Amino acid sequence: HFVKFKLPQLQYKNPKVQMLTFKNRSPVPNITLFHEDGRKWTIDAENISSEDLVQQIDTAARKDSKTLMLEEQAKSSQHNRANFGDARRGHFCMCEIPGQVPCPAKVQLPEKLRKKSWMEKGQ
């Protein structure tokens, strides 16, 4: 019941997590979780309801509040020069980056950049 109904929901909510199912591999059904730091959790799944399994997986796989806080701080402190449109987070316009073509509203473009070859009537 868990594999048919609850596992697809978990996979949908966690697209970056790999979830595999092996059938008839052991006499007792179990769920094994591998963490990034090398920890390994094995949850016995025999005679346990799907809701209890989801709760046990959530408890075992959840990051602690300290890790979540550190990740949020690292994410918010990153300043990416490629962000455009909001002056508070980056640059408002591409023309503000040194070496880029200036905005035509501020500085008129050179003649060769204003006309395209297919727009010329003489050809």
Side-chain angles (χ1 to χ4, degrees):
H1 190 263
F2 173 78
V3 173
K4 186 175 182 182
F5 294 108
K6 297 294 183 179
L7 189 62
Q9 293 174 0
L10 288 173
Q11 288 175 331
Y12 180 78
K13 290 290 186 176
N14 303 294
K16 295 183 179 180
V17 177
Q18 181 181 13
M19 298 182 192
L20 303 172
T21 57
F22 298 106
K23 297 181 182 184
N24 301 325
R25 184 141 189 199
S26 66
V28 178
N30 60 36
I31 297 171
T32 306
L33 304 172
F34 299 95
H35 292 269
E36 291 177 345
D37 58 1
R39 291 182 296 151
K40 180 179 174 181
W41 287 62
T42 302
I43 300 172
D44 183 21
E46 188 173 23
N47 297 328
I48 298 179
S49 69
S50 296
E51 289 77 21
D52 291 339
L53 278 174
V54 170
Q55 185 178 10
Q56 288 183 12
I57 290 172
D58 186 37
T59 303
R62 180 182 298 162
K63 294 180 181 180
D64 59 345
S65 59
K66 181 181 176 183
T67 305
L68 291 172
M69 187 173 59
L70 289 173
E71 287 179 356
E72 184 65 31
Q73 286 177 353
K75 185 178 179 183
S76 65
S77 68
Q78 290 177 348
H79 176 69
N80 189 352
R81 290 181 48 101
N83 291 336
F84 293 100
D86 188 2
R88 292 172 290 162
R89 295 188 175 183
H91 300 281
F92 184 73
C93 184
M94 182 70 173
C95 69
E96 295 176 3
I97 303 292
Q100 299 296 323
V101 176
C103 283
K106 295 180 181 177
V107 178
Q108 191 172 14
L109 292 174
E111 186 69 30
K112 65 178 184 177
L113 294 178
R114 281 187 257 163
K115 292 184 179 180
K116 303 296 181 191
S117 61
W118 53 270
M119 293 175 73
E120 294 178 9
K121 296 187 184 228
Q123 294 182 0

